[in-house]
Amino acid sequence: MNWYSQSGFEVRLEWGLPAVEHLAYDVDCVVVVDVMSFSTCVSVAIDNGALIYPYPWKDSSAIQYAERIGAHIANLDRTTSGKGYSLSPCSLRTIPEGTKLVLPSPNGSTISFSARDYGVAVFSGCFRNMTATARECARFKRILVIPCGERWPDGNFRPSVEDITAAGGIIANLGQHSLSPEAEAAAAIFRHHSEHGMSSLHLCSSARELAERGFKPDVDLCLDVDVSAKASRLNGGFYTSP
C-alpha cells in the first residue's frame, strides 16, 4: 500500500478527483460530496423520483449523450430564469417523477463518472440526505468519502468548508468504523458547525458566491440538514434511491 492510501482504516477521506485515482481501488464504497450544488441537486431530484445521469463535460457531447439515452439535458450554465433544469437545486424542486436528466458538472459529476469505473458502490451525499447516506454506506467495510471542493476563478482547485463539513457529518453517522486521521478531522469539523446549526456556513465563500450571483435560495436549500430520508446511489449510469 502507498503512504497516502489510509490503509488500515475502514473510513477514509481525501479531496477531489485525485482521491478516486489514488484511493478508490482499495475501498468498497465511495461517497461523492458536492454540497453546492451537484449532490444537493441529485438529492432533490431523487426525492421527486427522477433519475440523474452525471456527465463530466459541459459541451456538445453532453447534449449528444442526452439524446442517445433519451434524457433531458440540464442547462450548461446555472440560470435564474426559471426555465428548464440546471445546477441550481431550486430548479429541480418540481421535476416530475421518472424524468431522466443529464446533469454535467466539473466536480460532482466528474468524480461520480470516474468512481464508477472502479467497480465500487458510489453514493452522492450532502447535508439534506446526510443520515440516509450514512445508513446505506455503513453496510460496507471500506468507505472513501470525497469532498469535491470548488474552483478558484482561474479554475484551480479550492477546498470548500461546506463539503468537508457535510463529509464529516456522514462520517460521524457511520457508527462503529475505524476512522483515518483525515476522516476524524472531518467529523470534528462537522461537530463544531452542528453546535451552531450550520449558521456560519451561510457566510462561507461558496455561499457568498452563489448569493452574489442571485442564488441565495439555493444556499438555503443546500444547507438544510436531514430533510430527506433517501440516499442517492449510482446505478450504472444514473443516480436513484437504493
Side-chain angles (χ1 to χ4, degrees):
M1 294 296 173
N2 293 303
W3 53 266
Y4 49 74
S5 67
Q6 301 175 36
S7 61
F9 299 100
E10 294 171 322
V11 181
R12 310 164 191 187
L13 179 140
E14 198 50 81
W15 285 92
L17 185 59
V20 177
E21 298 169 347
H22 295 296
L23 279 74
Y25 71 92
D26 191 42
V27 298
D28 309 303
C29 170
V30 168
V31 187
V32 179
V33 183
D34 186 1
V35 170
M36 297 185 186
S37 301
F38 174 80
S39 294
T40 302
C41 284
V42 172
S43 178
V44 170
I46 284 177
D47 277 351
N48 282 19
L51 307 177
I52 296 295
Y53 290 74
Y55 194 77
W57 301 290
K58 287 186 173 185
D59 57 21
S60 60
S61 69
I63 299 172
Q64 295 166 3
Y65 175 61
E67 291 175 347
R68 188 166 67 250
I69 64 174
H72 297 273
I73 176 73
N75 291 324
L76 300 184
D77 294 310
R78 208 184 194 106
T79 175
T80 56
S81 68
K83 298 179 180 178
Y85 307 120
S86 72
L87 272 172
S88 163
C90 288
S91 74
L92 302 175
R93 285 184 297 186
T94 59
I95 189 171
E97 182 178 359
T99 302
K100 297 166 64 176
L101 180 68
V102 174
L103 188 63
S105 87
N107 296 321
S109 268
T110 300
I111 293 171
S112 300
F113 210 74
S114 178
R116 71 175 187 175
D117 293 337
Y118 285 81
V120 299
V122 180
F123 292 84
S124 172
C126 57
F127 284 114
R128 71 187 322 274
N129 66 0
M130 185 177 64
T131 299
T133 302
R135 182 183 64 245
E136 291 294 326
C137 294
R139 303 173 184 178
F140 298 90
K141 183 173 179 60
R142 299 172 301 170
I143 303 164
L144 171 61
V145 183
I146 304 178
C148 294
E150 292 294 339
R151 300 286 172 179
W152 290 104
D154 64 5
N156 285 326
F157 173 78
R158 175 177 68 80
S160 58
V161 67
E162 71 277 7
D163 286 353
I164 191 70
T165 304
I170 294 168
I171 291 166
N173 281 280
L174 281 172
Q176 297 300 315
H177 287 74
S178 62
L179 309 184
S180 71
E182 291 83 356
E184 282 186 344
I189 291 170
F190 166 74
R191 287 191 289 269
H192 168 78
H193 286 288
S194 64
E195 290 176 0
H196 305 285
M198 306 299 171
S199 59
S200 61
L201 295 184
H202 287 268
L203 300 176
C204 74
S205 297
S206 301
R208 294 177 66 177
E209 176 194 4
L210 290 182
E212 289 179 7
R213 293 171 56 194
F215 294 100
K216 179 63 166 61
D218 279 344
V219 173
D220 297 334
L221 197 157
C222 288
L223 295 179
D224 281 341
V225 177
D226 276 341
V227 296
S228 173
K230 294 182 179 180
S232 306
R233 181 171 180 175
L234 196 60
N235 179 12
F238 59 88
Y239 276 106
T240 186
S241 180

